[in-house]
Structures are given as C-alpha cells and as structure tokens.
C-alpha cells in the first residue's frame, strides 16, 4: 500500500513527538506539558449534533483574553492544525515555499513536506536570533516565514526589533507566522499589538501549555479579518468537538484565567529553581528560557539523557549537540530531576 502513497509521503519521516518516542517512568519532563491536572465538568449533551465550525462563546472568550476582536480569531485542533491551514491556504504545492530558522519546532517542515511545499531554511545565529540578511536573500517564492518565540527547543525570545524588520521586509510578499505557543509564560513579549499595523502577520496560540490542556487539542490563530477568512475556506467543517469547546471556554472564564495565572507563576518559579540549581553544576550550561522548559548542555548530553531515561526520568533529547530539553514540572519533579543529574555527574567524574 505504501507504493500507492504520494512520493512525498513515501519519503516522509514522521515527527517524533514525545509520545511516539515513548518511555517508561514516573517523571515525565519531555513534552512541555503542564504538571497540573485541572478538573472540568461537562454533561456531554448534544453529542448527536455537529459542533459549530467556530464556537461563538469560545472565540469571544479567547479574543477577549488575547486582546483582539473575535473576527481576528480562529480556533483549530491545536496550533499544529493552524500551521497546516496556513500552508494549505497560501502555498501552491510545487511552486511556493515556506521558510523557517532551525533549530526550531519540527512541524513547520513536516506540514509543508506532507503537502508538497518546498522548505527553505536559514539557521539562527550563534545567539539564536534571526539572520535577517540571509532571510532577505532567500525570500524568492516564499509565502510563509515561521518564527517561534519563545523558541522551541532553545527557549529564547526573538528580538522584537528583528520581528518588526522581518514584517517590513515581507510586506506584500509573505506572511510572518509568529508561533507563540509559550507566550503565556512571558505575555509581555507577545507580538499581538503588531496586528493592527501589519496585515501580513499571523500568530499561533494554544491551550496546551499554560492552560494545562495538552490533551484537549485546542489552538488558535490570530490575524487580521481578511487572513482569517482565507483560513475559514480550508478548515474542516467541524474542527472543534462540543466537549472541547465547553472545556476550553471554562478554562478561559474569569475563574479559569485566575487559575492559569497562578499556575504560570508557580511554573516560572520552578523554572528559576531548576535553572539556578543546574547552573551550579560543573560542566553544565543552562540557557535562559522563557517558556515552561529549559535547554541544558552537558559534556555528554546523550549519556545523561539515556541515564535519566533508564531511571524513569523522561527528558527530551535535542538536535543541538550535547543538549537536553527539560520541561518544568512541579517542585517535587524538579527536585528529583536536579538531584539525579547532580548524582549522575558526580558518578561520571569519580
């Protein structure tokens, strides 16, 4: 049957998500999930009926939270579907391209490859910022430029002045897609205020991280109304199941927002704790992170990753040499992980 698949699909290597990689243990710090298991109530009514394409209450709730108008807001099955919608809506297969800047999130490339759209890459600079001259030199045929900030897996913020320069550079040529999956941990760094000035800006958001709803699969795209209307042409007719819309709306209620804010403060404190503790260890470099994870460089990252895996502490290996990405869990998980790493390094040095 594989021979019947499109050539691009035959050659495609699927994205190795944390769940596909697997693992077995008690401490899961590999998928940038929240440690909080919040409870929600739904009566599962009306399941015999299709959901609205864009549930009004949910759209209004998220628009209010994000500081935009409802007509500037689209909800989808996670931000991943938002990536795919943008590529399907704006890129002609075999003709147009996307551009992204590795090391960064892998689904930009896979979504484009699946659809048959060319991928162009301009690596980040040594300090993981945009290489604007190289981007400008590679914009021919590019319809979408993906920028992740805070960037996954590095954790750093992209310089705002560079984002503005990129938006100016791509005016009437391409759409700049800001992936703000982790922006709730540093909301002051959002580019949402730039929507009023730049019609070529689209912003991806999710409830998976700060709202502790990774299993719900609910994301959003923020953009000007004209761009949103284009996406509505290609989105599935019923993208958000009724229970998903109900739970997401509860998460965006006044009570839900207060809880999310408290939990973000807790996770940011745990991130600082983990960063401070790891920074004291010999041969360890902890990069400043603004999401709910840290990128950490060891003298032998693969060895540390495997030792933790075998112990039941599931971290995420990184494409960056000797680097391991560690999600921020609750304080107990952070303490146990820090203690394990400290003991492991002491044993290796002995």
């Amino acid at each position: 049957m594989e021979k019947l698949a499109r050539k691009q699909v035959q050659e495609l290597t699927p994205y190795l998500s944390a769940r596909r990689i697997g693992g077995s243990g008690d401490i899961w710090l590999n998928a940038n999930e929240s440690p909080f298991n919040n409870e929600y109530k739904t009566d599962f009514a009306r399941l015999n009926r299709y959901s609205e394409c864009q549930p009004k209450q949910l759209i209004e709730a998220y628009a209010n939270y994000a500081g935009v108008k409802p007509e500037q807001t689209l909800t989808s099955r996670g931000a991943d579907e938002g990536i795919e919608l943008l590529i399907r809506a704006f890129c002609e297969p075999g003709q147009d391209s996307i551009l992204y800047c590795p090391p960064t999130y892998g689904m930009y490339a896979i979504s484009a490859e699946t659809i048959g759209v060319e991928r162009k890459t301009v690596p980040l600079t040594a300090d993981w910022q945009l290489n604007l001259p190289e981007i400008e030199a590679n914009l021919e045929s590019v319809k979408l430029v993906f920028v992740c900030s805070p960037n996954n897996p590095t954790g750093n913020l992209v310089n705002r002045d560079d984002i503005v320069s990129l938006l100016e550079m791509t005016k009437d040529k391409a759409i700049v897609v800001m992936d703000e999956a982790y922006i709730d941990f540093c909301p002051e760094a959002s580019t949402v205020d730039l929507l009023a000035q730049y019609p070529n800006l689209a912003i991806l958001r999710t409830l998976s991280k700060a709202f502790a709803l990774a299993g719900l699969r609910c994301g959003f795209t923020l953009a000007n109304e004209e761009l949103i209307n284009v996406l509505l042409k290609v989105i599935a007719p019923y993208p958000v199941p009724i229970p998903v819309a109900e739970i997401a709306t509860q998460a965006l209620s006044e009570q839900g927002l207060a809880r999310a804010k408290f939990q973000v403060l807790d996770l940011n404190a745990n991130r600082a704790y983990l960063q401070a503790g790891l920074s004291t260890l010999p041969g360890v470099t902890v990069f400043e992170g603004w999401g709910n994870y840290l990128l950490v460089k060891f003298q032998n990252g693969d060895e540390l990753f495997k030792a933790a895996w075998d112990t039941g502490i599931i971290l995420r290996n990184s494409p960056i040499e000797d680097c391991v990405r560690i999600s921020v869990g609750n304080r107990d998980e952070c303490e146990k992980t820090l203690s394990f790493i400290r003991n492991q390094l002491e044993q290796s040095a002995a």
Side-chain angles (χ1 to χ4, degrees), residues 42-304:
T42 177
D43 58 10
F44 294 101
R46 298 180 296 113
L47 294 186
N48 61 315
R49 303 298 182 188
Y50 289 113
S51 62
E52 295 178 74
C53 177
Q54 295 292 293
K56 185 173 185 292
Q57 276 189 301
L58 176 58
I59 291 294
E60 290 178 349
Y62 197 83
N64 184 60
Y65 168 70
V68 298
K69 298 175 182 177
E71 53 267 30
Q72 293 178 291
T73 309
L74 177 138
T75 187
S76 59
R77 291 168 288 201
D80 285 331
E81 188 181 22
I83 295 169
E84 186 176 327
L85 289 172
L86 285 159
I87 296 173
R88 284 201 290 120
F90 289 98
C91 296
E92 291 283 357
Q95 179 177 320
D96 296 326
S97 311
I98 70 162
L99 187 149
Y100 60 96
C101 304
T104 193
Y105 185 43
M107 281 305 298
Y108 313 138
I110 287 178
S111 293
E113 189 175 1
T114 301
I115 297 168
V117 171
E118 183 184 349
R119 288 88 57 211
K120 291 187 177 184
T121 61
V122 175
L124 296 173
T125 62
D127 57 349
W128 293 329
Q129 294 297 326
L130 299 178
N131 187 333
L132 290 174
E134 281 298 307
I135 290 175
E136 188 167 25
N138 283 276
L139 282 179
E140 185 178 354
S141 81
V142 169
K143 284 288 191 69
L144 299 167
V145 181
F146 287 92
V147 179
C148 190
S149 183
N151 186 41
N152 180 12
T154 59
N156 67 291
L157 292 171
V158 176
N159 291 334
R160 182 181 172 88
D161 288 348
D162 289 350
I163 295 169
V164 172
S165 295
L166 180 61
L167 286 163
E168 290 286 348
M169 181 191 303
T170 54
K171 267 186 177 178
D172 302 319
K173 298 177 184 176
I175 296 164
V176 175
V177 184
M178 292 299 304
D179 187 341
E180 294 189 348
Y182 301 95
I183 205 67
D184 306 282
F185 297 96
C186 50
E188 68 281 358
S190 176
T191 56
V192 72
D193 61 300
L194 296 176
L195 287 172
Q197 187 176 351
Y198 294 100
N200 61 323
L201 172 62
I203 299 172
L204 297 171
R205 296 282 191 87
T206 182
L207 298 185
S208 294
K209 315 301 181 182
F211 286 88
L213 287 171
L216 198 69
R217 309 310 303 130
C218 186
F220 299 88
T221 302
L222 310 177
N224 69 81
E225 186 176 3
E226 185 180 3
L227 195 156
I228 294 295
N229 286 337
V230 173
L231 298 183
L232 285 170
K233 292 182 177 183
V234 298
I235 197 170
Y238 315 110
V240 183
I242 289 171
V244 170
E246 290 178 352
I247 291 171
T249 302
Q250 290 177 43
L252 293 162
S253 67
E254 185 177 352
Q255 181 182 357
L257 291 174
R259 178 174 58 192
K261 184 176 181 180
F262 173 80
Q263 292 176 353
V264 163
L265 289 173
D266 192 30
L267 290 173
N268 283 347
N270 288 348
R271 183 186 66 207
Y273 164 81
L274 197 58
Q275 183 172 1
L278 289 168
S279 296
T280 65
L281 302 179
V284 174
T285 301
V286 186
F287 299 98
E288 187 174 23
W290 293 88
N292 63 335
Y293 56 94
L294 288 170
L295 187 70
V296 186
K297 186 171 186 178
F298 299 93
Q299 291 181 343
N300 190 327
D302 289 340
E303 182 181 289
L304 187 283

Side-chain angles (χ1 to χ4, degrees), residues 273-274 277-278 281 333-342:
Y273 164 81
L274 197 58
L278 289 168
L281 302 179
E333 291 171 328
C334 290
E335 288 176 352
K336 288 179 178 177
T337 301
L338 180 58
S339 177
F340 168 80
I341 293 174
R342 183 183 293 113

